[in-house]
């Protein structure tokens, strides 16, 4: 299984190198271990995360693409769908069957036809539109819902921090 | 039903170990000369076999003698069990030449599972029954054959070879759905003790198997014909297949296991693909590695490409693989759009593309130029790729920083 996982990851790496989505760079941290990737995601424009570049780590299972990778932001980010330790909670990262929140339809779930690119794009749209119904960070979800100005301020700080400013 | 682990069913190593290996080394020079000589004789045998009509006694005698020279010795048992009405021969599969050995005892036709040119197919005694176009098609064609041809149909319902020592793989049901009695045939392969090279190994290729056939002094095929069996009225096809499997396993004094040929493919992948990779380090992993699996290698290659690119239909992959003969090349071709196909299973695909689509629309609507850091080439060496990745990361951050500063100039 690891053989096909590697081939697939190689193919996706190539695709992301030659034709990456805007504002996204992704690839293995070190090619000695192809199952550990690093990704940079630019915060979508006209949102509170605009302009920030956020680093995340993707960890692939040996039976990828049968099972989804895990994704974790390595920088501070205050967002309803990101745990305080950086883990990302979106439906595309869950295989059908394991549903921690209990309401995702299996159509939005992980399947081998998904890809790293689709995950990263989903994360971008998650940054743009937080889903406060399935909150991973309750505090962030509350702030997002009740005190948008505060949330935007925190987000703006995160953006500056991510740029090293 | 079974306690045998799948690994016991196959030989992983071609050569024996210990003192037997020393004997084999002594035999080596003789074997090489023998193999070369036999190669030429073998070609003649092959042509004789093609020219002479199949069920003739003359062909039988000539071929038996020539096979003896080639080191293929065939003995038979239970020929009185041969039944005229049993038009389907069911045999266990232990080596590349099983088909030939059985053919010499009982001339037959083997449905081909490969895309061979018709002449070669005819020469090898295969018949195209359109097995590639689905099981129904195969059964239909096989039934037609049984009705009109005097030659019985040979099948290896195990679907993959085993070492024939421990157990039989689970039988595929198609040979049992012919509405006619089947004739079980059990094959045992033996080689002399001092040159006890396994006739087939996990992931071995057929032409290497043939070389070792020519190399060893002789290979003894013992073919035993069992009484014909037919499906009972209150029995399903699966049960019938299982009953035949058990009868054959008993005759061979081995176990009837529930492992299937696809289990073998999976196991072969485990053994041949993962282990050498982890041992050899990762740098060599992307070299065009042809997959294990001998005769079913093309199917395996298709499967491997599909694991990487599940939305591509099999036909498209097969076509391109036939040209490239290389998994990586085919993957590249598909990814770069050189292969035309209509994607399969779009239903799974669609709902998810909805949300990312929104983002892409948004970003194209933006006024400022987007930061896209694409590399023009995908470097061959991992170091260069890594450097290029680092460069692009830096580029992205620098560009974002600059843009931020431009926008928020007043704030700083």
């Amino acid at each position: 299984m690891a053989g096909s996982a590697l081939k697939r990851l190689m193919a996706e790496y190539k695709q992301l190198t030659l034709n990456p989505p805007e504002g996204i760079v992704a690839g293995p941290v070190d090619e000695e271990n192809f199952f550990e990737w690093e990704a940079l995601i630019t915060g979508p424009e006209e949102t509170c995360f605009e302009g920030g570049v956020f680093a995340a780590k993707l960890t692939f299972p040996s039976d990828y693409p049968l099972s989804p990778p895990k994704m974790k932001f390595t920088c501070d980010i205050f967002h309803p769908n990101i745990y305080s330790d950086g883990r990302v909670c979106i439906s595309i990262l869950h295989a059908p069957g394991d549903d921690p929140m209990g309401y995702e339809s299996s159509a939005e779930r992980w399947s081998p036809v998904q890809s790293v690119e689709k995950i990263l794009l989903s994360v971008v749209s998650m940054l743009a539109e937080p889903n406060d119904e399935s909150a991973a960070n309750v505090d962030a979800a509350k702030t997002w819902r009740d005190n948008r100005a505060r949330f935007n301020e925190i987000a703006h700080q995160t953006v500056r921090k991510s740029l090293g400013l | 039903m079974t306690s045998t682990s799948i690994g016991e069913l196959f030989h992983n190593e071609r050569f024996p170990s210990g003192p037997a290996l020393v004997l084999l080394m002594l035999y080596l020079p003789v074997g090489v000369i023998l193999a070369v000589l036999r190669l030429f004789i073998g070609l003649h045998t092959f042509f004789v076999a093609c020219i002479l009509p199949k069920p003739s006694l003359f062909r039988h005698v000539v071929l038996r003698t020539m096979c003896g020279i080639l080191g293929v010795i065939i003995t038979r048992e239970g020929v009185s069990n041969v039944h005229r009405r049993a038009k389907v021969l069911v045999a266990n599969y232990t080596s590349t030449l099983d088909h030939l050995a059985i053919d010499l005892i009982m001339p037959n036709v083997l449905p081909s599972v490969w895309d061979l040119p018709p002449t070669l197919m005819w020469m090898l005694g295969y018949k195209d029954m359109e097995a590639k176009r689905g099981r129904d098609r195969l059964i239909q064609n096989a039934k037609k054959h049984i009705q009109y041809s005097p030659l019985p149909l040979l099948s290896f319902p195990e679907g993959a070879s085993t070492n024939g020592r421990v157990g039989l793989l689970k039988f595929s049901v198609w040979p049992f759905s012919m509405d006619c009695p089947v004739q079980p045939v059990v094959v045992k392969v033996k080689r002399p003790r001092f040159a006890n090279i396994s006739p087939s190994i996990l992931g071995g290729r057929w032409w290497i198997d043939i070389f070792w056939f020519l190399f060893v002094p002789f290979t003894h095929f013992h073919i035993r014909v069992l009484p014909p069996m037919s499906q009972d009225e209150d029995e399903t096809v699966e049960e019938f297949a299982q009953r035949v499997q058990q009868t054959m396993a008993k005759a061979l004094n081995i176990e009837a296991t529930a492992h299937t040929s696809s289990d073998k493919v999976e196991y072969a992948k485990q053994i041949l693909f993962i282990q050498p990779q982890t041992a050899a380090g990762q740098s060599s992993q992307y070299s065009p590695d042809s997959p294990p699996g001998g005769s079913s290698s093309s199917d395996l290659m298709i499967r491997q490409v599909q694991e990487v690119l599940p939305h591509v239909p099999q036909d498209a992959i097969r076509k391109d693989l036939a040209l490239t003969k290389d998994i990586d090349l085919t993957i590249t071709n598909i990814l770069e759009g050189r292969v035309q196909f209509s994607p399969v299973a779009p239903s799974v695909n669609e709902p998810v593309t909805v949300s990312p689509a929104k983002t892409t629309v948004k970003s194209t609507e933006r006024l400022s130029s987007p930061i896209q850091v694409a590399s023009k080439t995908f470097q061959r060496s991992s170091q260069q790729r890594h450097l290029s990745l680092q460069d692009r990361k830096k580029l992205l951050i620098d560009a974002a920083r600059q843009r931020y500063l431009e926008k928020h100039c007043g704030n700083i």
Side-chain angles (χ1 to χ4, degrees):
Chain A
M1 293 307 288
S4 52
L6 273 167
K7 288 218 169 67
R8 160 91 176 225
L9 286 171
M10 193 65 172
E12 292 201 36
Y13 182 27
K14 186 171 179 183
Q15 182 75 356
L16 281 168
T17 301
L18 297 176
N19 195 11
E22 283 159 20
I24 286 177
V25 173
V29 179
D30 180 346
E31 289 207 17
E32 287 293 296
N33 178 7
F34 231 89
F35 291 88
E36 196 96 342
W37 282 33
E38 194 178 7
L40 291 183
I41 298 169
T42 311
E45 309 245 328
E46 277 136 51
T47 70
C48 52
F49 293 102
E50 177 177 346
V53 177
F54 306 102
K57 213 166 76 180
L58 286 139
T59 313
F60 295 89
S62 64
D63 63 347
Y64 181 82
L66 298 178
S67 308
K70 289 192 175 69
M71 185 168 174
K72 189 175 172 177
F73 276 97
T74 49
C75 60
D76 280 340
I77 187 160
F78 187 67
H79 187 284
N81 306 111
I82 302 171
Y83 288 95
S84 47
D85 65 353
R87 274 182 299 134
V88 181
C89 178
I90 48 172
S91 60
I92 194 174
L93 289 174
H94 296 299
D98 75 85
D99 185 0
M101 299 304 166
Y103 63 85
E104 293 159 352
S105 79
S106 65
E108 310 170 302
R109 303 295 191 71
W110 175 259
S111 85
V113 299
Q114 309 291 12
S115 62
V116 178
E117 183 175 338
K118 284 191 191 145
I119 293 174
L120 296 177
L121 287 172
S122 300
V123 169
V124 171
S125 63
M126 177 200 81
L127 289 179
E129 292 159 22
N131 176 0
D132 60 350
E133 281 167 48
S134 70
N137 183 338
V138 182
D139 200 17
K142 233 171 133 185
T143 317
W144 161 261
R145 210 168 26 222
D146 305 336
N147 191 352
R148 192 63 62 88
R150 170 84 186 127
F151 185 86
N152 288 346
E153 195 184 313
I154 297 175
H156 196 79
Q157 278 166 14
T158 322
V159 169
R160 289 179 61 95
K161 203 172 166 191
S162 77
L163 293 172
L165 293 167
Chain B
M1 175 163 111
T2 169
S3 56
T4 315
S5 83
I6 184 143
E8 293 172 55
L9 298 180
F10 318 105
H11 286 302
N12 288 339
E13 297 295 328
R14 176 83 65 181
F15 306 108
S17 52
L21 188 62
V22 179
L23 286 172
L24 185 65
M25 292 315 272
L26 290 176
Y27 172 73
L28 185 78
V30 186
V32 171
I33 296 168
L34 205 57
V36 174
L37 285 178
R38 277 172 172 172
L39 186 69
F40 291 107
I41 304 171
L43 284 176
H44 286 107
T45 315
F46 183 61
F47 286 115
V48 169
C50 296
I51 294 162
L52 297 176
K54 254 203 169 175
S56 80
L57 182 70
F58 180 60
R59 176 185 191 265
H60 178 82
V61 173
V62 170
L63 280 185
R64 280 289 284 274
T65 321
M66 290 186 97
C67 280
I69 298 169
L70 291 181
V72 177
I73 293 171
I74 301 163
T75 53
R76 53 184 173 173
E77 188 182 334
V79 181
S80 58
N81 285 329
V82 175
H83 197 282
R84 208 172 262 277
R85 276 194 55 242
K87 281 289 196 56
V88 180
L89 306 179
V90 174
N92 60 320
Y93 191 18
T94 53
S95 75
T96 317
L97 294 187
D98 282 2
H99 150 230
L100 186 122
I102 298 170
D103 192 52
L104 285 178
I105 302 289
M106 294 185 277
N108 62 58
V109 167
L110 185 66
S112 164
V113 286
W114 299 289
D115 289 324
L116 297 175
T119 334
L120 191 62
M121 199 116 80
W122 168 78
M123 286 162 108
L124 291 170
Y126 292 121
K127 191 175 160 72
D128 185 15
M129 301 216 172
E130 297 174 324
K132 284 268 175 223
R133 296 172 75 186
R135 169 139 324 164
D136 293 341
R137 204 54 184 261
L138 171 68
I139 292 178
Q140 208 182 337
N141 280 314
K143 273 185 180 162
K144 218 184 278 170
H145 169 89
I146 288 167
Q147 246 175 358
Y148 297 111
S149 169
L151 292 175
L153 198 67
L154 176 64
S155 65
F156 295 109
E158 284 179 289
S161 62
T162 64
N163 60 21
R165 304 271 161 82
V166 181
L168 291 178
L169 294 175
K170 189 168 191 278
F171 279 10
S172 146
V173 294
W174 77 263
F176 304 95
S177 8
M178 297 293 151
D179 306 322
C180 95
V182 301
Q183 182 102 58
V185 177
V186 295
V187 183
K188 263 189 189 170
V189 183
K190 260 194 220 156
R191 280 179 172 166
R193 208 164 272 276
F194 65 91
N196 199 4
I197 295 168
S198 314
S200 70
I201 57 162
L202 205 58
R205 277 154 223 271
W206 64 269
W207 49 273
I208 299 176
D209 286 346
I210 302 240
F211 170 79
W212 293 113
F213 265 101
L214 301 177
F215 175 89
V216 297
F218 65 85
T219 309
H220 177 199
F221 282 92
H222 184 73
I223 292 172
R224 188 169 149 208
V225 185
L226 304 178
M229 298 171 76
S230 39
Q231 190 174 357
D232 289 339
E233 264 172 37
D234 54 346
E235 199 177 38
T236 64
V237 179
E238 284 80 18
E239 283 165 347
F240 178 41
Q242 202 179 346
R243 188 160 58 94
V244 175
Q245 188 203 17
Q246 276 159 0
T247 313
M248 286 172 63
K250 214 168 155 193
L252 283 163
N253 212 1
I254 60 179
E255 201 178 344
T257 73
H259 301 299
T260 63
S261 56
S262 42
D263 291 341
K264 179 183 173 183
V265 173
E266 274 306 308
Y267 177 72
K269 264 199 268 180
Q270 291 268 328
I271 294 292
L272 304 171
F273 221 71
I274 298 175
Q275 289 182 354
Q277 267 180 359
T278 35
Q282 310 230 332
S283 54
S284 60
Q285 278 169 4
Y286 323 113
S287 61
D289 221 354
S290 22
S295 57
S296 61
S297 72
S298 78
D299 283 339
L300 200 94
M301 283 166 84
I302 294 170
R303 217 169 305 161
Q304 283 185 325
V305 175
Q306 261 194 326
E307 267 168 25
V308 179
L309 303 160
H311 61 287
V312 184
Q314 272 202 10
D315 285 350
I317 298 174
R318 182 176 299 123
K319 245 186 237 162
D320 196 64
L321 267 179
L323 297 175
T324 61
K325 308 226 175 351
D326 184 303
I327 298 175
D328 297 73
L329 272 178
T330 295
I331 292 174
T332 315
N333 284 348
I334 293 171
L335 285 176
E336 290 176 4
R338 281 191 288 255
V339 178
Q340 305 253 313
F341 62 88
S342 46
V344 288
S347 57
V348 198
N349 206 342
E350 260 166 304
V352 194
T353 46
V354 175
S355 51
K358 267 190 262 168
T359 6
T360 35
V361 171
K362 243 183 224 160
S363 44
T364 44
E365 280 169 357
R366 295 186 319 200
L367 297 168
S368 50
S369 64
I371 317 171
Q372 192 190 20
V373 279
S375 170
K376 285 201 181 67
T377 51
F378 190 64
Q379 302 286 354
R380 281 189 171 272
S381 95
S382 67
Q383 273 155 339
Q384 282 173 320
R385 280 197 297 260
H386 191 64
L387 287 177
S388 145
L389 178 66
Q390 297 302 339
D391 283 348
R392 280 177 291 124
K393 281 200 287 205
K394 197 167 169 300
L395 204 69
L396 179 69
I397 296 174
D398 286 350
R401 192 176 291 155
Q402 202 175 351
R403 185 170 293 179
Y404 182 89
L405 289 175
E406 274 167 20
K407 210 166 179 176
H408 301 267
C409 233
N411 298 350
I412 294 162

